[in-house]
Amino acid sequence: MENEDLTILLIEDQEADILLFTEILADTSYSAHKLKTAGRMSQALDILEEQRIDIVVLDLHLPDSRGLETFIKITESYPEIPAIIYTVTDDEDIALDAIRKGADDYLIKGPYLDTVQVEKSIRKAVETSKSRTVMQQTMQDLKRTNEYLEHFAYVASHDLNAPLINLEELQKIVDLEGKPVEFNARIFHKMSKSIGRLRATLNSLFRVLEVHQKLDDTLEDISLEEIMKKVMQDLSADITALEAVVQHDFTAASRVKFPPEHLYEVLKQLVANALRYHRKNVRPEIMVRSSLHESDYICVEVEDNGIGFGGGPQQHRIFSLFNRPHKSSSGHGIGLYTVKTLVENQNGLVSARNKEHEPGSVFQVLFNKFPKNSQT
Amino acid sequence: MKKIIFIDDDEINNFLLENKFNTHLPDVKAEFFDSAEAGLNYLSENGEAPPQFIFLDIKMPAMNGFDFLKEYHRRMYHESFPTRIFMLSSSVKASDREKSRSFSSVEGFISKPLEIKELQEIMEKTFK
């Protein structure tokens, strides 16, 4: 049987009970040398704070905590850690209460406690906890996908509906006999414009679907520098045409865990976006910089000196599908939506702000150091 | 003179409406603005003679219809103007309707296209 490297925390103040558990554990497939013990609640909470514990085995009667409350104190702070109650026969009622409140199992101290019981109990608790984590992640994914789909359906229906209504109305007023040629020519011109809009919207939708289909690509530990090089190559025509200066600095954090193609897409969209919204007659200056953000994220910021985007109410809309910040914008409102989708899919975050004292905006991507696929 | 303003970034939609007014309601003065900002500018310049009706699109770049309404209320136009506002949108989202209802100045939600018959009914109710 495989030897599983679990760190177990035994919360127990009686020497004899600690000894009993340690001896039995030594005979199971779980290694006893990774067992931690705590005689008091305060000590247990310190250990849980400091290090990763896979499973807690606890006596309910401690010098500084008594009864069901002992279990509740642990489980409120660490709901994700499986817990097994370690108790005496007299307290079986309280142990049952703890089970009702979410404890995974209980073990009765004494001569009848054996290897099989302990092995089974730990195994079951760990497995339940694993599947709980997977289920939570799946639920979260489903919820997000559902929200995307709903939003997608809404936006698609609106953006297809509007030009189609126009076409229907235009068709009603075409009158080849009764109206002058110029009038009819105008109508035909507007009809072809509406058809163009329908086609553009559909093409955009196809692109969004393509991105969604690519969503579960495999994670790799990739160099930002390497991807950035590719982005620069592919945007070189635009960069040259605008005489833009695009620089980058990845010294603070050089690698992220992300599907490589997605990282390429994210960086490309952000740089392309920064180029697209440049100010007239101002040479675009774009800086891409990485940094460490709190303990869980690697931050990549793309800063430009362009026209920025309307502040206030628009701020939260800038990443939505088919949103165009400016009436004259040439974009279709998919680029930033794609960035948001790809980053959030790996439990990351995106945001944008206008610079305070000068023109330009900063787009920030927080890459999760522990992306979704690496956790399960 | 009856005055109606339309605020919609969809230039074809505005053209179609203009054509309808010329054909069926030549005595009504309809004006068209292609952004919420342009509509608000018009209102601040014409505070003496506000329009009887505003037909307002929801989905527009930069300021959308709801942003327009917030600004309209912030300027207290909903108390000082006799104007009646109708949303005119191709949105199929129920929450857009609900959100429109939350503004006291909004009287109704009309799905595009706006039919002349519908418009005549609304106007008859007001000018009866």
Side-chain angles (χ1 to χ4, degrees):
Chain A
M1 187 174 282
E2 78 213 91
N3 188 358
E4 293 179 50
D5 231 10
L6 289 180
T7 305
I8 299 171
L9 173 63
L10 175 63
I11 308 173
E12 171 64 73
D13 60 329
Q14 301 296 318
E15 267 314 313
D17 295 332
I18 296 175
L19 199 65
L20 173 70
F21 187 82
T22 313
E23 276 174 1
I24 295 177
L25 188 68
D27 293 334
T28 66
S29 58
Y30 301 100
S31 65
H33 71 270
K34 287 197 82 178
L35 181 71
K36 306 274 164 205
T37 55
R40 304 174 71 90
M41 175 57 88
S42 55
Q43 197 190 349
L45 291 171
D46 284 346
I47 294 176
L48 283 162
E49 173 85 7
E50 279 160 18
Q51 66 179 104
R52 186 197 150 105
I53 297 294
D54 296 301
I55 184 162
V56 167
V57 178
L58 78 159
D59 179 20
L60 294 174
H61 295 296
L62 301 172
D64 56 346
S65 179
R66 299 194 66 77
L68 195 59
E69 201 184 307
T70 311
F71 167 71
I72 291 170
K73 268 183 201 160
I74 298 280
T75 200
E76 265 180 2
S77 310
Y78 301 93
E80 74 285 358
I81 302 181
I84 297 170
I85 309 296
Y86 187 42
T87 187
V88 287
T89 336
D90 300 350
D91 276 348
E92 236 180 309
D93 286 347
I94 308 182
L96 274 170
D97 274 347
I99 296 270
R100 287 189 197 105
K101 292 238 183 292
D104 288 271
D105 198 3
Y106 69 89
L107 295 167
I108 303 284
K109 298 171 182 174
Y112 300 111
L113 188 65
D114 62 19
T115 317
V116 177
Q117 277 180 46
V118 173
E119 171 96 33
K120 259 170 71 180
S121 191
I122 294 178
R123 191 160 292 277
K124 205 183 83 195
V126 170
E127 262 158 30
T128 315
S129 139
K130 260 190 205 153
S131 51
R132 209 161 34 216
T133 315
V134 172
M135 204 172 76
Q136 273 164 1
Q137 180 70 51
T138 313
M139 293 246 295
Q140 212 184 339
D141 286 356
L142 274 176
K143 229 180 113 194
R144 196 157 51 198
T145 313
N146 216 9
E147 276 165 19
Y148 278 143
L149 281 176
E150 209 170 280
H151 181 69
F152 183 81
Y154 157 65
V155 174
S157 59
H158 175 277
D159 283 45
L160 292 172
N161 201 17
L164 189 60
I165 292 171
N166 284 346
L167 267 178
E168 288 164 345
E169 293 284 290
L170 287 165
Q171 177 207 287
K172 281 184 205 160
I173 56 172
V174 175
D175 184 352
L176 293 179
E177 261 109 66
K179 294 266 183 178
V181 179
E182 298 77 41
F183 178 83
N184 287 323
R186 266 180 88 191
I187 301 296
F188 278 116
H189 174 69
K190 289 183 190 302
M191 283 178 122
S192 73
K193 250 180 102 172
S194 297
I195 291 170
R197 218 178 119 194
L198 272 174
R199 170 46 66 200
T201 302
L202 266 173
N203 285 349
S204 304
L205 287 176
F206 295 151
R207 256 197 58 70
V208 172
L209 283 175
E210 222 178 83
V211 170
H212 274 267
Q213 275 162 10
K214 281 200 288 182
L215 276 186
D216 30 37
D217 280 8
T218 353
L219 285 172
E220 275 177 43
D221 186 33
I222 25 173
S223 140
L224 285 162
E225 184 87 38
E226 206 175 288
I227 303 288
M228 189 65 198
K229 246 187 222 156
K230 226 173 115 196
V231 169
M232 294 290 288
Q233 260 166 26
D234 292 350
L235 293 175
S236 61
D238 290 354
I239 294 172
T240 316
L242 292 166
E243 295 180 13
V245 181
V246 184
Q247 291 175 300
H248 64 266
D249 177 1
F250 298 134
T251 41
S254 62
R255 307 183 78 83
V256 294
K257 279 201 200 76
F258 213 69
E261 269 182 51
H262 294 188
L263 182 65
Y264 167 79
E265 194 72 27
V266 167
L267 289 181
K268 188 180 141 193
Q269 291 298 347
L270 290 177
V271 175
N273 200 61
L275 288 168
R276 181 178 298 135
Y277 296 110
H278 62 270
R279 272 177 297 154
K280 236 186 187 158
N281 304 325
V282 177
R283 174 198 293 261
E285 285 172 19
I286 298 167
M287 181 71 199
V288 186
R289 192 183 286 116
S290 70
S291 60
L292 295 169
H293 188 90
E294 288 168 8
S295 55
D296 292 341
Y297 297 101
I298 286 165
C299 166
V300 172
E301 286 192 327
V302 179
E303 185 182 335
D304 63 54
N305 61 344
I307 53 175
F309 50 91
Q314 278 195 63
Q315 197 125 2
H316 65 278
R317 286 203 292 266
I318 190 161
F319 290 100
S320 15
L321 185 58
F322 295 146
N323 178 71
R324 290 167 303 138
H326 309 278
K327 197 168 159 43
S328 57
S329 60
S330 54
H332 297 293
I334 340 178
L336 290 179
Y337 172 79
T338 305
V339 169
K340 180 180 154 82
T341 309
L342 295 177
V343 172
E344 285 185 354
N345 192 55
Q346 299 300 342
N347 295 340
L349 295 161
V350 290
S351 61
R353 60 178 192 273
N354 283 319
K355 289 199 272 190
E356 267 174 48
H357 303 295
E358 49 186 329
S361 55
V362 181
F363 284 79
Q364 186 189 64
V365 178
L366 296 178
F367 292 99
N368 199 315
K369 281 192 191 166
F370 309 100
K372 184 182 68 188
N373 301 347
S374 71
Q375 286 168 349
T376 49
Chain B
M1 185 79 159
K2 294 163 194 164
K3 195 161 66 178
I4 299 184
I5 73 167
F6 288 86
I7 300 172
D8 195 333
D9 65 313
D10 186 337
E11 165 269 308
I12 296 179
N13 180 69
N14 291 343
F15 164 83
L16 285 162
L17 283 166
E18 203 171 356
N19 190 64
K20 277 186 192 174
F21 276 96
N22 291 342
T23 318
H24 303 283
L25 297 165
D27 59 325
V28 179
K29 188 174 183 286
E31 291 206 53
F32 298 88
F33 300 93
D34 66 358
S35 72
E37 291 88 339
L40 285 165
N41 281 345
Y42 174 84
L43 292 177
S44 65
E45 281 161 19
N46 294 272
E48 310 291 301
Q52 276 92 7
F53 292 98
I54 295 175
F55 287 89
L56 179 63
D57 185 25
I58 294 177
K59 204 167 175 253
M60 294 183 277
M63 269 183 113
N64 68 20
F66 296 125
D67 298 332
F68 172 91
L69 287 171
K70 277 180 212 148
E71 183 58 23
Y72 189 88
H73 280 247
R74 200 190 62 77
R75 297 183 184 181
M76 305 301 280
Y77 288 163
H78 63 299
E79 290 190 354
S80 53
F81 289 176
T83 310
R84 308 176 62 189
I85 301 179
F86 289 84
M87 306 309 279
L88 179 59
S89 168
S90 47
S91 167
V92 287
K93 197 153 92 177
S95 65
D96 278 349
R97 279 173 188 265
E98 276 160 33
K99 201 165 170 191
S100 308
R101 251 181 245 133
S102 71
F103 290 93
S104 59
S105 54
V106 175
E107 295 220 2
F109 188 105
I110 300 168
S111 292
K112 285 182 185 174
L114 175 62
E115 303 290 352
I116 278 297
K117 234 179 84 192
E118 214 172 349
L119 186 62
Q120 277 167 333
E121 276 168 23
I122 290 171
M123 290 174 60
E124 268 164 32
K125 260 191 236 158
T126 312
F127 298 117
K128 205 161 40 183

